[in-house]
Amino acid sequence: KKTNRLLLLEESWPFAAISSEIAYVIQQEAFDYLDAPIKRITVQDTPAPYAKNLIKNWYPNKNDIILYIKKMLYI
């Protein structure tokens, strides 16, 4: 609440994910408190890879999270 921004992280596809439902409810209930659009980090919108090195890059990682947070704070 100190920054009035929200970042949702989910290890699922972006379409019809639980985080989209959570974002919807938060926008309904706390719209006046938000200073920026809600951002969501999800897996890449591609078929799931089977190789371990590709899976590691497919899921959101700490570099993605840090990048999104920096973008949110410097809007």
Side-chain angles (χ1 to χ4, degrees):
K1 193 168 181 179
K2 290 183 180 187
T3 63
N4 293 340
R5 290 171 166 80
L6 178 63
L7 176 67
L8 297 171
L9 173 66
E10 183 170 14
E11 294 181 346
S12 180
W13 286 283
F15 178 74
I18 296 296
S19 64
S20 62
E21 295 297 321
I22 293 170
Y24 174 74
V25 171
I26 290 172
Q27 285 178 341
Q28 279 187 322
E29 301 294 325
F31 181 79
D32 293 335
Y33 297 107
L34 297 173
D35 289 341
I38 296 173
K39 299 288 185 186
R40 294 173 48 226
I41 300 177
T42 60
V43 297
Q44 297 176 15
D45 196 11
T46 59
Y50 294 101
K52 284 187 179 184
N53 61 335
L54 296 176
I55 289 175
K56 189 166 73 171
N57 292 328
W58 186 61
Y59 281 115
N61 57 42
K62 65 181 178 183
N63 294 330
D64 294 338
I65 297 168
I66 291 170
L67 180 67
Y68 271 79
I69 290 172
K70 285 181 178 181
K71 283 182 183 179
M72 286 178 61
L73 294 178
Y74 299 115
I75 289 180

